[in-house]
Amino acid sequence: MKSSEVEFFTTPLTRFAPTIADISGVGAPEFSPSERVEEVKKLVLDKTGKSTVDKVVIYNPDALGAWFVDKYTETFRPLKELSDLRVDYLTMYPPKTPVCFGTMFTGATPEQHGIHAYVKPHLKIDSLFDRWAEAGKKTAMVSVAGQSIPLLFQGRNIDYFLYKSDGAVIDKTVELIHSGEYDVIEAYVMEYDTVMHMTHPKSVFAKSAARRHVRGFERIYNAMKSAYADSDSFLAFAPDHGVHREWYLLGNHGKNIPEDMNLSHFYTVLPKEKG
Ligand SMILES: [Zn+2]
């Protein structure tokens, strides 16, 4: 698949934050655009009969781009089977982790949030984390420590659970879901990104990392299914950007090419079980 044969996706990632704000019943962060991803709002309405959900879990595996998800059908079959809706986004340029997550949780463009490279500043502009906290939603961030999301969105009135490994992140996320204590949980994992930089996007090691990210998704889904049976809940599989292989053979990302910029999210609504 040569990049010249692939079109760029068109829905900008800036629309994610205001859409998630709407379905979680809070105001959109200040820099959000006025447009929403209408299919997401329709999905929530169709499956729950109302416009908001009670519980939100956002799962952020790093660097799983659209082409990769489409190429490895077997690996991603559980994700596609458990999800109701796929939304194709054009991520932000340059497609580097803090640039993209800076946008994903604020609705701001890189010009507005000011991150244009692989730097991880304390981002003080209005974000979903601020909106959830202000609305009294109990919010947890579960992440590998020292990574973009916990550094950009530090100092918010939310609970932080930071670990050394993806395994610990998934275990804690599942535990927090079962506790029922949180209204919103954000979980970030990064093995695929790490491994594909050390090898390349389609290496055996990168593919096993991707399988573990899908397994993490399944564990989160199953936990929500049992622990959130009395709630309407929403699960997002929400990576930040794609990847490509460089002429020097290692995996990388950061270019304005469809392999790096085209992103697919998968969304699921688990309606309250009647009974
Ligand atoms: Zn990334």
Side-chain angles (χ1 to χ4, degrees), residues 62-63 95-98 101 188 193 240-241 253:
D62 205 304
K96 295 280 187 186
T97 306
F101 284 127
Y188 168 82
D193 185 73
D240 51 345
H241 54 73
H253 51 91

Side-chain angles (χ1 to χ4, degrees), residues 93-149:
Y93 180 81
K96 295 280 187 186
T97 306
V99 177
C100 303
F101 284 127
T103 291
M104 201 185 295
F105 291 101
T106 64
T109 61
E111 288 65 37
Q112 292 167 322
H113 64 51
I115 305 172
H116 299 281
Y118 188 70
V119 290
K120 300 179 272 191
H122 180 180
L123 192 59
K124 293 178 181 165
I125 65 168
D126 196 15
S127 70
L128 280 171
F129 297 106
D130 299 285
R131 294 293 174 144
W132 287 323
E134 280 163 26
K137 296 202 176 284
K138 195 162 181 204
T139 302
M141 175 189 292
V142 195
S143 176
V144 180
Q147 298 305 314
S148 295
I149 299 174

Side-chain angles (χ1 to χ4, degrees), residues 150-167:
L151 288 173
L152 266 56
F153 301 105
Q154 62 188 283
R156 267 63 179 195
N157 188 19
I158 65 174
D159 293 337
Y160 295 88
F161 300 92
L162 306 178
Y163 297 97
K164 284 186 182 156
S165 72
D166 284 5

Side-chain angles (χ1 to χ4, degrees), residues 14 30 32 37 127 139 146 184 193 196 224 240 251 267:
T14 47
E30 185 187 348
S32 298
V37 186
S127 70
T139 302
V184 180
D193 185 73
M196 79 85 209
M224 291 173 69
D240 51 345
Y267 302 129

